[in-house]
Amino acid sequence: MNEEPEIPPVAPPDYSRPPQPGQYAPPPNQPPSALDHLIPAKNMKALLAYYFGVFSIVPCFTPILGPAAIVLGILGLKEVRLNPNLPGKGHAIVGIVIGSIMTFLLVAVVVLVLVFGKASND
């Protein structure tokens, strides 16, 4: 005779207490570690500004990523100013600088093409 094992009843979840934080989560108000300064994941605007600035060096990405790097860099610096323990100040500055340079070069090239393109048609 095959008897199926009896499945014990499952207790319903206890919603009277809030869930416990994860064991891997650092406690709040802890100063950033060296890895946080290398990759400022807590300040995504600064990190995105850095990556957008670097990838704006590729000419076909410059019209979109150059200005986006400037805007996100400024917003990332604003977050650092509001919370001094937040990492990413250097990443935001690099994003602003590279984004500004590439945007300026793009505008200069467009102006030169329009000026010399018009002059060659005359």
Side-chain angles (χ1 to χ4, degrees):
M1 293 193 175
N2 290 340
E3 291 185 26
E4 292 185 26
E6 210 174 292
I7 300 174
V10 177
D14 183 17
Y15 293 112
S16 63
R17 291 180 287 150
Q20 298 297 318
Q23 295 176 350
Y24 60 90
N29 300 329
Q30 181 178 357
S33 68
L35 184 61
D36 288 333
H37 286 287
L38 187 62
I39 304 172
K42 294 178 184 171
N43 190 349
M44 285 304 294
K45 292 174 186 164
L47 186 62
L48 285 175
Y50 175 79
Y51 284 128
F52 284 4
V54 168
F55 285 113
S56 72
I57 295 172
V58 178
C60 63
F61 295 143
T62 303
I64 296 170
L65 296 183
I70 297 168
V71 171
L72 287 171
I74 292 169
L75 293 175
L77 280 179
K78 187 176 181 181
E79 285 189 15
V80 170
R81 190 181 68 222
L82 294 176
N83 183 2
N85 282 339
L86 198 62
K89 184 176 182 180
H91 286 77
I93 291 171
V94 168
I96 292 171
V97 169
I98 296 176
S100 299
I101 291 171
M102 295 311 298
T103 302
F104 173 76
L105 288 175
L106 174 71
V107 170
V109 166
V110 168
V111 168
L112 288 174
V113 167
L114 290 176
V115 168
F116 288 114
K118 181 110 174 151
S120 66
N121 287 337
D122 291 337

